[in-house]
Amino acid sequence: MLYLMFNEGYSSSFTEQPVRRDVCVDATRLCRLLMDHPAGDHPDVRALMALMCFHAARFDARTDEYGDIVILKHQDRGRWDRTLMREGFHYLGASTAGGDVGTLQLEAAIAAVHCIADSYETTNWASIVGIYDQLMDLKPSPVIALNRAIALGELHGPRAGLAALETIAGRELLEGYHHYPAALGELHLRLGEIEDAACEFARAMTITITSSPAERRFLQRKLEESRIRLE
């Protein structure tokens, strides 16, 4: 429940604000209380705390002055909170001290790799793909496969990413998930396949689950970028 609560605050579905810090702060506070309770003295709780710290460290860089989404590639890493990042590394280390490696530890490890990188371009994508491989072994799902495909596209190029996206097992389950056509659109755009990119961004716009105004504005900008390049 705390994981879902933080996620809703981190990427709000139903409000004008793409980030609900108040929800994330409450989730983090409750996680600390759970971690301090004897019943919550568990590696997964510490891993969840690490994951929250790593993501919360990026709050200031995730939106611009107009409240629009700034994707990871374009975020100003100088605005990331180093104190929260150090705290995240502390809890991640504590969560794996006994050799425990579950899904939460792996998700936190992916966030840690992003925090270590000085820039998007110097990110250790091979490490991230490897961690996603471990996640797929532990808890295979189309969403994890989607995120792995995106990372693979960064490691080996957009054509490799597209191939991975188009061969996801159970990808029909992603038909109502706007991130799937948006990822396809982005990779087609990088390949110069502008018509395909525009088609995928338009498809993402029509999916009703995309209820966040900030998400819709982001997709609209990508669609307009594709159409401009078509002209």
Side-chain angles (χ1 to χ4, degrees):
M1 287 300 296
L2 293 177
Y3 179 97
L4 293 174
M5 181 179 177
F6 186 92
N7 277 356
E8 173 55 31
Y10 188 74
S11 185
S12 185
S13 302
F14 303 105
T15 67
E16 181 63 33
Q17 298 171 290
V19 178
R20 286 285 308 277
R21 292 197 189 202
D22 55 334
V23 175
C24 291
V25 167
D26 275 348
T28 304
R29 177 180 61 83
L30 291 170
C31 190
R32 290 185 190 278
L33 289 173
L34 179 60
M35 191 168 53
D36 291 340
H37 192 282
D41 184 17
H42 191 278
D44 283 353
V45 180
R46 292 188 284 275
L48 178 58
M49 191 71 235
L51 185 61
M52 289 181 176
C53 287
F54 288 136
H55 286 323
R58 295 169 44 209
F59 278 158
D60 287 344
R62 287 197 68 233
T63 55
D64 62 17
E65 63 269 31
Y66 305 107
D68 286 328
I69 294 169
V70 179
I71 61 174
L72 179 62
K73 184 176 184 178
H74 298 140
Q75 286 176 16
D76 177 1
R77 296 184 181 224
R79 300 183 66 194
W80 289 7
D81 189 318
R82 266 49 188 175
T83 300
L84 279 172
M85 287 163 57
R86 285 193 295 270
E87 194 173 359
F89 284 112
H90 166 75
Y91 288 120
L92 178 57
S95 75
T96 58
D100 301 276
V101 179
T103 57
L104 286 171
Q105 283 83 3
L106 292 173
E107 288 187 38
I110 291 169
V113 174
H114 285 298
C115 287
I116 290 170
D118 292 329
S119 67
Y120 190 83
E121 290 72 23
T122 60
T123 301
N124 189 340
W125 292 106
S127 178
I128 289 175
V129 170
I131 299 170
Y132 274 123
D133 287 339
Q134 294 180 67
L135 272 172
M136 287 296 291
D137 288 339
L138 282 177
K139 189 181 178 181
S141 78
V143 172
I144 292 174
L146 165 63
N147 290 325
R148 178 189 177 278
I150 293 170
L152 196 68
E154 296 294 342
L155 178 61
H156 293 305
R159 187 65 67 193
L162 269 179
L165 283 173
E166 291 168 351
T167 56
I168 290 175
R171 64 184 180 279
E172 65 277 2
L173 299 175
L174 298 172
E175 290 305 314
Y177 189 56
H178 72 276
H179 292 292
Y180 181 63
L184 288 168
E186 184 62 36
L187 292 172
H188 280 302
L189 195 61
R190 286 173 56 188
L191 286 165
E193 298 167 352
I194 310 304
E195 290 187 15
D196 290 332
C199 180
E200 294 296 348
F201 287 129
R203 183 157 70 102
M205 286 286 295
T206 65
I207 295 175
T208 56
I209 198 171
T210 314
S211 50
S212 162
E215 286 275 9
R216 288 197 297 271
R217 289 196 300 272
F218 174 77
L219 289 171
Q220 184 65 47
R221 290 197 303 273
K222 298 302 293 187
L223 179 58
E224 289 170 357
E225 178 185 348
S226 301
R227 286 172 172 168
I228 289 170
R229 288 176 64 173
L230 270 174
E231 294 174 353

